[in-house]
Amino acid sequence: MADLRRTTEMHVTFSIDRMRERDLLQVVDIEEASGLNRWGYDSYRREMLKNPTSVLLVARSSHTTDSEVIGFFAGWTVEDEMHVNNIAAHPGYRRMGIGKSLMQTAIDIARPCGVKIVVLEVRASNESAQSLYRKLGFRFVARRRDYYRFPTEDAMVMKLAID
Ligand SMILES: CC(C)(COP(=O)(O)OP(=O)(O)OC[C@H]1O[C@@H](n2cnc3c(N)ncnc32)[C@H](O)[C@@H]1OP(=O)(O)O)[C@@H](O)C(=O)NCCC(=O)NCCS
């Protein structure tokens, strides 16, 4: 895999790597701490082991000896489209470029596989994620009423053309 090591301007060094089975407990901790609709350990593990179209990445802190996971990305590709299922940075490591690096790396991986469009849904109230996606060039294309549960909320569908 290409060298995915990136350094932020803010004194946090991290690498973006493929997610491994031993990362999963940390991934689900970040998922729970981020208020995301729960996938849970088994779903990520199934994706990792059974879905060859999965793109599963982690951001790993370079400052801790035990390779602490400080962010993750979960998506899959279908023909010329990549769907983003989940992305999160650890609450203690936000606004340090982790979300952006995870998404850019996933796109870098997907592009040579023929992916031309990246699609995602985001809660209508999730300003920080929408801001990240807009910064990366995503545009709103639709609104799905009551798409989310716990709490019920509309989804904004966003797309990015990458070819
Ligand atoms: C959305 C999320 C993944 C962003 O990750 P992050 O590592 O904090 O984001 P980055 O540092 O890469 O931010 C890149 C850019 O996105 C925008 N951005 C990110 N967070 C923002 C915020 N809270 N407010 C405004 N803009 C924000 C900014 O333009 C930022 O660039 P800047 O810091 O130079 O201004 C993170 O907030 C998160 O984990 N949220 C909880 C989980 C979630 O909502 N996931 C999305 C599900 S659809």
Side-chain angles (χ1 to χ4, degrees), residues 131-156:
S131 174
L132 166 65
Y133 303 145
R134 279 198 306 272
K135 184 162 197 169
L136 289 165
F138 283 81
R139 295 290 170 257
F140 293 110
V141 292
R143 185 176 186 116
R144 296 207 174 121
R145 201 146 300 281
D146 295 342
Y147 178 86
Y148 289 105
R149 294 282 176 268
F150 313 115
T152 300
E153 188 176 358
D154 293 355
M156 308 304 293

Side-chain angles (χ1 to χ4, degrees), residues 6 8-10 14 16 89 93-104 132:
R6 295 171 194 265
T8 71
E9 306 81 15
M10 296 192 58
F14 57 91
I16 307 289
Y93 293 90
R94 299 228 168 120
R95 295 303 288 270
M96 296 179 180
I98 292 167
K100 190 172 162 206
S101 291
L102 284 164
M103 185 69 87
Q104 285 175 330
L132 166 65

Side-chain angles (χ1 to χ4, degrees), residues 68-111:
E68 182 192 9
V69 173
I70 54 175
F72 73 94
F73 172 96
W76 57 50
T77 59
V78 182
E79 298 181 352
D80 66 349
E81 188 172 307
M82 178 165 69
H83 190 268
V84 178
N85 293 315
N86 262 336
I87 180 169
H90 185 291
Y93 293 90
R94 299 228 168 120
R95 295 303 288 270
M96 296 179 180
I98 292 167
K100 190 172 162 206
S101 291
L102 284 164
M103 185 69 87
Q104 285 175 330
T105 304
I107 290 169
D108 289 347
I109 289 169
R111 190 184 277 112

Side-chain angles (χ1 to χ4, degrees), residues 27-135:
V27 167
V28 296
D29 280 350
I30 294 171
E31 178 187 66
E32 282 181 20
S34 298
L36 294 170
N37 277 42
R38 192 171 181 279
W39 265 38
Y41 186 98
D42 291 340
S43 299
Y44 289 110
R45 186 166 179 276
R46 196 165 44 245
E47 278 297 296
M48 184 179 290
L49 300 180
K50 302 252 167 80
N51 184 356
T53 74
S54 267
V55 180
L56 295 169
L57 303 173
V58 291
R60 228 181 273 289
S61 166
S62 309
H63 292 282
T64 49
T65 48
D66 57 353
S67 299
E68 182 192 9
V69 173
I70 54 175
F72 73 94
F73 172 96
W76 57 50
T77 59
V78 182
E79 298 181 352
D80 66 349
E81 188 172 307
M82 178 165 69
H83 190 268
V84 178
N85 293 315
N86 262 336
I87 180 169
H90 185 291
Y93 293 90
R94 299 228 168 120
R95 295 303 288 270
M96 296 179 180
I98 292 167
K100 190 172 162 206
S101 291
L102 284 164
M103 185 69 87
Q104 285 175 330
T105 304
I107 290 169
D108 289 347
I109 289 169
R111 190 184 277 112
C113 303
V115 168
K116 299 200 177 339
I117 300 168
V118 185
V119 184
L120 56 83
E121 293 93 17
V122 55
R123 281 185 181 270
S125 65
N126 192 342
E127 296 286 347
S128 46
Q130 289 175 29
S131 174
L132 166 65
Y133 303 145
R134 279 198 306 272
K135 184 162 197 169

